[in-house]
Amino acid sequence: MHSMRWHHPLEPTVEKRDLQNALPHCCRHFFHPTRATLTRDGYDDFKWKSRNHRKQRHKALTPGQRPRRGKNLQHRFAHMSRLEYWNISWWVAMAFTTGSVIWVINGFFSFLPLVNSDVMISEAGLGWTAFVGATIFEAGSILGILEAWNREDAADFGWNFYLLHHKNTANDIGSGHPEKPSKQWIWFTMDTKYFHELGFLAAFFQLLAASVFWISGFTAIPGIYTAIIKHTGVLDGTFWTPQVVGGCGFIISSTLIMLEAQKAWYKPNVLSLGWQIGFWNFIGAIGFTLCGALGYGAQVSSGVSYQSSLSTFWGGWAFLIASVMQWYEAVNSVVE
């Protein structure tokens, strides 16, 4: 495993071992490791994980020197009230949480009239929540790409050792200690090294999927939807098909998120927060894909229409669960 790709500069006294990812032997060496053990003489080993690195969960302090590691579960939940505007992972979580709330509302607009005759169908509510939800998902996906491009180049262990294990500030570290390499913000890059990272690939497929899925959000706008609903071919091609294709992309993205957190491709890591986020996104993606796939027959079968709307309903809730977990993850650091 020592020959596996490694792409993060290390503090001079730190060594790496046990570089691994969860992919099958036939392709694992094409991708960067998702976990490794970092060692430093005289100190405990550090369990490095690529998702925690990308999400800045190895940072013990905020820029304002406030601790990011809660003493207990109550403190960690309290961190969710913070506005971590400096944290790109927080913005990603906020975007997907907001978008998921919109999709849950859309699910109520879609599903409630089918189970309660007293509830009237609101075409405006359905259309505009679909458009806004899809647009916010697109924005969140762009932020996810920025997050992946702008993850720290250098692993924190070593440079941030005292911050992580002794809760000191940078001023407490001696002047002779080497400085951590700086990272400049990236708005866009064609650097192919990122395609060797599962985290980036998950964000990449998420963006592709969200971009296709947005088409269905656009055609759901009331005036547009009213114009195309009488033309089955146009409706299928511009409303239902983008949901199916986009949903399949979401499935790929969430699968990559789960793989990043696993130790083997066939062994789920259910105790990992990152894996749970991927899992609930996977459930949400299945729901949105089924909504589109069943939508092809929704006009000719009330039962199919019912299941299509129901899929949107539970799919939106699954995305919301994943997004709230991601929010919690973004504002709490870990020491492994």
Side-chain angles (χ1 to χ4, degrees):
M1 290 299 179
H2 287 286
S3 61
M4 183 175 285
R5 296 170 178 269
W6 179 259
H7 53 306
H8 298 296
L10 295 174
E11 195 267 348
T13 63
V14 172
E15 296 183 357
K16 61 184 183 296
R17 58 180 173 83
D18 300 332
L19 279 62
Q20 300 178 27
N21 62 45
L23 296 172
H25 289 283
C26 61
C27 58
R28 67 172 48 177
H29 288 281
F30 179 78
F31 298 96
H32 293 314
T34 56
R35 62 192 180 282
T37 300
L38 304 183
T39 62
R40 194 170 187 254
D41 289 342
Y43 298 97
D44 294 337
D45 292 348
F46 183 77
K47 301 299 182 182
W48 178 91
K49 296 180 181 178
S50 60
R51 182 176 179 87
N52 287 341
H53 179 88
R54 186 174 66 259
K55 296 289 182 178
Q56 303 185 71
R57 300 196 76 205
H58 294 148
K59 291 186 179 298
L61 301 172
T62 69
Q65 303 303 312
R66 298 177 66 187
R68 301 186 71 241
R69 189 166 61 249
K71 296 179 181 179
N72 52 48
L73 188 61
Q74 181 181 355
H75 288 167
R76 290 191 286 272
F77 275 118
H79 288 175
M80 297 177 71
S81 65
R82 294 179 176 179
L83 302 179
E84 290 201 357
Y85 58 88
W86 52 271
N87 183 358
I88 181 64
S89 298
W90 180 82
W91 285 105
V92 173
M94 289 296 97
F96 282 116
T97 300
T98 304
S100 296
V101 169
I102 299 298
W103 278 114
V104 166
I105 295 172
N106 176 270
F108 278 109
F109 276 125
S110 178
F111 185 60
L112 280 183
L114 300 179
V115 296
N116 188 341
S117 58
D118 293 331
V119 178
M120 299 294 294
I121 296 176
S122 173
E123 293 185 0
L126 272 170
W128 285 112
T129 53
F131 174 70
V132 173
T135 301
I136 295 176
F137 266 29
E138 176 75 3
S141 300
I142 294 172
L143 291 171
I145 285 285
L146 291 174
E147 176 192 54
W149 276 335
N150 290 282
R151 54 85 182 134
E152 291 281 357
D153 284 334
D156 285 332
F157 184 74
W159 284 291
N160 285 353
F161 184 85
Y162 297 101
L163 291 176
L164 289 166
H165 291 272
H166 298 293
K167 300 182 182 179
N168 292 337
T169 65
N171 293 329
D172 294 322
I173 300 175
S175 59
H177 195 277
E179 293 185 3
K180 181 180 176 181
S182 60
K183 169 78 174 183
Q184 290 188 335
W185 184 264
I186 297 173
W187 287 107
F188 182 80
T189 179
M190 296 291 288
D191 195 333
T192 58
K193 70 179 182 181
Y194 295 100
F195 285 95
H196 296 283
E197 301 178 17
L198 288 183
F200 173 79
L201 287 173
F204 179 74
F205 279 104
Q206 173 74 27
L207 179 59
L208 290 181
S211 298
V212 174
F213 192 86
W214 183 87
I215 297 172
S216 65
F218 178 74
T219 53
I221 293 175
I224 298 174
Y225 185 78
T226 302
I228 67 174
I229 193 172
K230 298 179 181 179
H231 306 280
T232 302
V234 178
L235 180 68
D236 289 349
T238 63
F239 184 71
W240 297 120
T241 298
Q243 291 186 49
V244 174
V245 175
C248 289
F250 293 149
I251 291 173
I252 295 172
S253 175
S254 56
T255 300
L256 291 171
I257 292 173
M258 288 189 286
L259 282 173
E260 185 183 25
Q262 293 179 192
K263 294 183 179 180
W265 65 269
Y266 55 85
K267 185 183 296 185
N269 187 8
V270 296
L271 298 181
S272 165
L273 179 60
W275 189 90
Q276 287 290 336
I277 291 169
F279 172 77
W280 286 104
N281 274 326
F282 182 83
I283 298 299
I286 293 292
F288 277 30
T289 303
L290 284 176
C291 174
L294 294 169
Y296 294 123
Q299 288 184 298
V300 296
S301 171
S302 60
V304 173
S305 177
Y306 178 92
Q307 291 299 330
S308 177
S309 296
L310 180 59
S311 296
T312 298
F313 184 77
W314 57 258
W317 277 106
F319 275 129
L320 181 58
I321 292 171
S323 299
V324 171
M325 287 183 175
Q326 196 170 350
W327 179 5
Y328 171 89
E329 176 190 49
V331 296
N332 285 287
S333 66
V334 294
V335 175
E336 299 180 277

